[in-house]
Amino acid sequence: MATIYKGSESDLFFLSDRLRAGELVAVPTETVYGLAANALNPDACARIFEAKGRPVYDPLIVHVTGQTAACAIAAMNVSAHALAAHFWPGPLTLILPKTPAIPDIVTSGRPTVAVRAPAHPLMRALLERCGLPLAAPSANPFGYVSPTTVAHVQEGLGDRIEHILDGGPCRIGVESTIIDVREMADPVILRPGGVAHEALEHVLGRRVRFHKPAEKSTPQARDPIGELAPGMLDRHYSPRTPLEVRPELFAPAELSEVPAGVARVCIARPRDAAKSSGIFWLSETGDLDEAARRLFSLMRELDAAGYARIEFEPAPATALGLAINDRLRRASAR
Ligand code: TXA
Ligand code: MG
């Protein structure tokens, strides 16, 4: 089992020292827990891929304190600065050309780097103390549901890592939005997440499109610019129990009788949620922020509860509903 640190001054000092020595530390962010290593040290970053069982073609996000630190690793342009000024620290990751400071293993050989300044106060304190950019993917074994509590991290990686910094449950609960801003005239969302599409369009003052993954993608599939994008890995965030997204099963009649062995998950609490077993909801009122915050925890709980099948209602396609639906789609891909 990994040692859990609460984030005292001496904890932060010790953990930044471990990071400088090339070790891994699981860290809290406002989105999900990350598995961090010194992004400037290729050997340290190799340990991330090893601990997660992550294929080396899937690049890492680099976490920094803010725009000044970002400039050392990425070629920031006007759009990048505008987005960073508005959304950092926060759940937005920018794809930009990388500088030579970033080793190839971090970007899986791509000429671009993913960069974000996270908002969690303990993660910020750690970034400041160690004075390094930190590469950190979500702190889960590759392909499984992302962790939003220390218990989730301990469960998935506790026997493969030594240190976990405890920042409490994650406030947002789904990963950052990833936006490719290399072409200022044509910004593209690669993964919907904690920052809403609408908010990005508002700040950039232009339409922002979503990257469309290829119909039947393989891990090696390439997007038109010859670079693997996150959406290409279809099966992702998956519980072990089969999960389906079935809008037609959420009419009131269907909710009065859920077959044995099935968990049926609504976005909001259904009106006459009879105490019938097998019905769950992500939010009392259908609040999408609350639903996103609970999504991964509930997936894990239901996965552990021994149901034969988990059925989800899709979220309304707006704000964090898009991130929820994206994670559900990937969790249901077999
Ligand atoms: O909220 C988050 O983004 C969390 C926390 C820990 O910051 N991190 C996270 O990392 O979700 P990860 O590794 O689970 O997902 C990062 C995604 C991957 O799908 C990867 O393919 C994509 O970012 N990515 C990283 N670098 C990229 C690049 N240069 N171009 C395109 N996609 C990239
Ligand atoms: Mg992940």
Side-chain angles (χ1 to χ4, degrees):
M1 280 293 154
T3 306
I4 295 172
Y5 301 83
K6 293 293 183 187
S8 66
E9 223 14 80
S10 62
D11 286 349
L12 292 172
F13 182 82
F14 173 75
L15 294 175
S16 26
D17 198 49
R18 295 299 84 210
L19 286 164
R20 273 193 295 267
E23 293 181 19
L24 303 182
V25 178
V27 292
T29 83
E30 71 281 21
T31 56
V32 301
Y33 274 77
L35 183 58
N38 174 0
L40 306 180
N41 177 340
D43 294 334
C45 292
R47 290 188 190 106
I48 294 180
F49 288 92
E50 210 177 299
K52 276 186 61 102
R54 182 181 179 107
V56 290
Y57 55 73
D58 195 6
L60 308 174
I61 294 180
V62 181
H63 298 70
V64 295
T65 45
Q67 295 188 58
T68 308
C71 289
I73 62 167
M76 298 279 283
N77 57 31
V78 172
S79 297
H81 281 295
L83 291 172
H86 200 276
F87 295 106
W88 284 1
L92 184 69
T93 298
L94 307 174
I95 304 289
L96 290 162
K98 81 176 195 74
T99 71
I102 290 295
D104 285 338
I105 186 169
V106 170
T107 65
S108 306
R110 273 177 203 71
T112 56
V113 64
V115 58
R116 101 170 173 101
H120 194 292
L122 279 186
M123 176 61 168
R124 294 185 62 70
L126 189 62
L127 282 165
E128 274 158 21
R129 291 303 181 309
C130 71
L132 292 167
L134 295 177
S138 51
N140 51 288
F142 180 72
Y144 193 60
V145 182
S146 296
T148 56
T149 67
V150 162
H152 296 165
V153 179
Q154 191 72 281
E155 213 172 275
L157 295 177
D159 57 353
R160 302 191 215 165
I161 63 173
E162 285 183 51
H163 319 291
I164 307 177
L165 177 57
D166 184 355
C170 300
R171 176 168 60 81
I172 294 177
V174 290
E175 297 86 345
S176 59
T177 301
I178 303 181
I179 184 168
D180 183 343
V181 282
R182 285 174 300 166
E183 290 297 331
M184 290 194 282
D186 183 24
V188 186
I189 292 178
L190 302 184
R191 176 179 74 182
V195 168
H197 176 229
E198 297 87 332
L200 292 169
E201 291 197 328
H202 182 76
V203 168
L204 289 175
R206 66 168 68 247
R207 295 292 300 270
V208 175
R209 68 187 171 95
F210 285 91
H211 175 78
K212 286 268 173 294
E215 189 65 12
K216 241 303 170 227
S217 56
T218 65
Q220 283 78 29
R222 301 267 150 185
D223 70 20
I225 40 176
E227 293 159 32
L228 189 74
M232 297 283 179
L233 290 174
D234 261 351
R235 181 143 194 273
H236 219 97
Y237 311 100
S238 302
R240 291 173 200 93
T241 314
L243 184 152
E244 297 175 2
V245 183
R246 300 280 298 275
E248 72 281 8
L249 292 179
F250 290 83
E254 306 288 345
L255 291 177
S256 59
E257 242 187 69
V258 178
V262 169
R264 204 163 274 179
V265 187
C266 314
I267 300 298
R269 182 194 185 106
R271 183 139 333 132
D272 324 293
K275 300 272 174 301
S276 115
S277 57
I279 298 196
F280 300 85
W281 49 90
L282 287 171
S283 156
E284 281 294 316
T285 58
D287 175 73
L288 294 178
D289 292 347
E290 186 189 357
R293 194 178 311 132
R294 289 206 57 215
L295 178 68
F296 290 148
S297 282
L298 186 61
M299 270 190 198
R300 283 169 178 263
E301 279 166 37
L302 297 176
D303 202 17
Y307 288 97
R309 192 167 73 241
I310 307 173
E311 298 166 343
F312 264 90
E313 177 181 28
T318 174
L320 259 64
L322 291 180
I324 293 172
N325 290 344
D326 172 80
R327 304 312 183 266
L328 289 176
R329 181 179 62 74
R330 295 194 210 197
S332 65
R334 289 281 129 188

